[in-house]
Amino acid sequence: MASDPTTASELTNAVLQAIDAGAPGEEFGAIPLPEAYTAVALHAEDAETLGKLPRSEKKPSLAMHVEEVPLPELAPDEVLIATMASSMNFNTVWSAIFEPVPTFAFLNRYGKVRGHWGKRHDQPFHVVGSDAAGVVLRAGNAVTKWRPGARVVVHPNDVALEDPQGHDDTILDPDQRVWGFESNYGGLGEVCIAKADQLMPKAEHLTWEEAASMPLTNCTAYRMLVGPNGANMQQGDVVLIWGAGGGLGGFATQYVLNGGGTPVCIVSSPAKAEVCRAMGAELVIDRRAEGFQFWDPESGRQNPKEALRLGKMIRQLTGGRDVDIVFEHPGRDTFGASVFVARRGGKIVTCASTTGFLHEFDNRYLWMFAKSIVGSHLANYSEAWRANELVRAARTHPILSKTYPLGQAGQAADDVASNVHLGKVGVLCMAPDTGLGVLDPELREQHLEGITRFQQP
């Protein structure tokens, strides 16, 4: 293949041609690389302008620039991936509204603590995105498992493992960070850079955009519920799932059903209630239809009667049982109610806090009834790998509802910020259209109903 310098568009054409031709790995490795590529980037200067706007005036799309950025040098333990598709997560929403702090503080710290290779990340631009599916183009000289041509997805736990604390569980490593949120060159671009131990094989029965929609939220839900680092869910457990029609909740519902539990799904619309029932969940509460208001707007204090009403409604649905586990991620708006409705000895497993990080709850219901709060963050490589194996076996399905082209990534972020989306929202990067990337059509056909359940026209 040609070795002359190429443009970003020529790179895309060469990659797509190689995929269509079923080219061997060495041909992908010989595709010439451009000096720059197209990506969604935030600008440090916007943190001082857009970041200072009132919350009601902030839209993620205002800060998301689709532009060319320089292609960085590849570290020895990294791979360069031709990104076919990515997806929108709430951490990109936070990044684009510069809350709770501008992510450029993370990039600056990365540059200080990780030496030469870390300094690449400390830029006045930030390529965001914590999901990706694509094809490996280059592998650093310390990478042995992954070679050019491999079809992969990226899970977002970026960790150096040079300290002892992370060797039992990488989430405990002091240098652990979220890829594409606390690091640069993330998934929302035509290429991305990730460490070799972030890669997992792409499910062959899924499209690029379906596969890209899964890693972050899927592995996060897995850790929260399934293993000993989270709630350690048992067969027969009743699990309250907030936002069951959304990104995290859609996977949580599948894990509870797969694990022999009973999900109690809380949603915010009839459409989300319908999709939960289609997954097999029988117990569904539409919080908006029921008018739940856990905070009194006049006093600015929590309304304990609403938590009491929620608990009563749960027991009516479950035949008198309180929930064993609360799958909690909205945060401030719901956390007090979550602590209240868990059974004696029950668990509240929490991450994200999309409605606010400063939680308030009545500690009497925690301490006097021996309940426990379990903090959970992303997933380590082993947990992410096991979650991905369930995807590859078609035991867990995508919850992708809508997909935008890269140029409309801002609209995808606005959808997630305003909670008008169902499930996950995808973003095409190099892939020219949806529906591409399937290598196992037979397995796909067997599970097509589950795979496409969340899709909207």
Side-chain angles (χ1 to χ4, degrees):
M1 302 185 73
S3 59
D4 295 331
T6 187
T7 65
S9 61
E10 289 171 338
L11 171 65
T12 297
N13 290 336
V15 169
L16 295 178
Q17 289 174 12
I19 292 173
D20 288 342
E26 56 266 23
E27 290 196 22
F28 286 93
I31 295 174
L33 302 177
E35 295 182 353
Y37 67 101
T38 303
V40 176
L42 308 179
H43 293 174
E45 61 188 15
D46 289 340
E48 299 302 317
T49 54
L50 299 176
K52 301 295 176 64
L53 292 174
R55 181 67 181 271
S56 60
E57 297 179 21
K58 288 183 177 180
K59 290 179 61 177
S61 57
L62 296 176
M64 298 173 72
H65 305 270
V66 181
E67 60 189 12
E68 286 206 344
V69 298
L71 185 71
E73 184 183 2
L74 195 66
D77 62 345
E78 292 177 339
V79 295
L80 176 70
I81 300 165
T83 310
M84 295 294 111
S86 182
S87 79
M88 193 57 57
N89 293 292
F90 215 93
N91 64 8
T92 294
V93 172
W94 286 329
S95 299
I97 63 174
F98 306 101
E99 291 186 11
V101 296
T103 52
F104 293 94
F106 303 145
L107 304 187
N108 180 259
R109 181 179 182 277
Y110 202 171
K112 289 179 178 178
V113 303
R114 297 303 308 155
H116 171 71
W117 300 112
K119 289 178 182 177
R120 297 169 304 160
H121 295 261
D122 188 9
Q123 303 290 344
F125 63 85
H126 184 187
V127 179
V128 289
S130 296
D131 278 320
V135 181
V136 174
L137 294 180
R138 299 286 192 276
N141 57 26
V143 178
T144 59
K145 182 171 182 176
W146 305 98
R147 309 313 304 168
R151 294 182 172 213
V152 297
V153 293
V154 182
H155 91 94
N157 185 26
D158 178 346
V159 62
L161 276 183
E162 291 186 359
D163 292 278
Q165 298 96 311
H167 281 260
D168 285 333
D169 178 9
T170 57
I171 299 301
L172 304 183
D173 193 282
D175 198 31
Q176 183 274 337
R177 58 180 52 83
V178 182
W179 175 75
F181 175 59
E182 296 169 295
S183 69
N184 215 332
Y185 312 112
L188 285 169
E190 293 172 327
V191 299
C192 65
I193 288 178
K195 288 185 170 67
D197 61 4
Q198 292 178 247
L199 303 190
M200 304 181 295
K202 173 188 172 291
E204 294 187 343
H205 66 290
L206 299 182
T207 66
W208 293 116
E209 65 275 9
E210 290 164 352
S213 73
M214 298 194 71
L216 185 150
T217 46
N218 183 34
C219 74
T220 299
Y222 183 96
R223 180 182 173 99
M224 288 178 75
L225 285 176
V226 177
N229 291 317
N232 200 20
M233 180 182 65
Q234 304 296 307
Q235 290 194 43
D237 277 351
V238 177
V239 182
L240 180 68
I241 302 172
W242 291 100
L248 282 169
F251 288 118
T253 301
Q254 294 183 65
Y255 282 122
V256 175
L257 291 168
N258 287 350
T262 300
V264 179
C265 297
I266 299 189
V267 298
S268 59
S269 71
K272 293 178 179 180
E274 182 179 347
V275 79
C276 289
R277 293 189 178 98
M279 282 192 286
E282 297 178 355
L283 312 182
V284 182
I285 298 172
D286 185 337
R287 61 178 175 82
R288 287 187 179 167
E290 297 294 339
F292 280 110
Q293 199 165 39
F294 299 108
W295 288 79
D296 186 336
E298 294 184 4
S299 67
R301 299 180 63 84
Q302 289 194 61
N303 185 351
K305 291 183 179 179
E306 287 292 81
L308 189 66
R309 182 162 73 97
L310 175 62
K312 182 178 180 180
M313 186 172 294
I314 290 169
R315 287 189 292 275
Q316 288 173 341
L317 291 174
T318 61
R321 287 186 60 179
D322 290 321
V323 296
D324 301 284
I325 299 167
V326 181
F327 185 85
E328 165 62 60
H329 55 98
R332 181 171 175 80
D333 283 0
T334 59
F335 202 85
S338 294
V339 171
F340 180 83
V341 300
R343 67 163 173 83
R344 286 178 178 263
K347 297 175 183 177
I348 302 94
V349 59
T350 178
C351 78
S353 295
T354 52
T355 65
F357 306 99
L358 296 176
H359 299 178
E360 183 178 311
F361 61 92
D362 188 332
N363 197 43
R364 292 173 298 175
Y365 295 109
L366 189 77
W367 115 68
M368 294 178 69
F369 298 112
K371 304 177 187 184
S372 57
I373 296 171
V374 181
S376 186
H377 184 50
L378 289 184
N380 61 41
Y381 196 22
S382 174
E383 292 163 334
W385 190 279
R386 281 178 279 159
N388 191 60
E389 287 300 289
L390 292 172
V391 177
R392 295 177 70 205
R395 296 291 301 278
T396 308
H397 303 305
I399 56 174
L400 182 69
S401 61
K402 193 171 184 177
T403 303
Y404 289 96
L406 188 64
Q408 297 179 29
Q411 182 60 56
D414 288 348
D415 286 358
V416 174
S418 57
N419 197 31
V420 300
H421 69 301
L422 180 69
K424 286 295 296 287
V425 179
V427 178
L428 296 180
C429 297
M430 271 197 187
D433 204 352
T434 58
L436 305 176
V438 175
L439 294 182
D440 189 345
E442 292 184 3
L443 183 61
R444 180 179 182 82
E445 186 61 31
Q446 293 173 24
H447 298 276
L448 189 60
E449 181 180 355
I451 294 168
T452 60
R453 182 171 288 130
F454 278 72
Q455 288 184 12
Q456 296 176 309

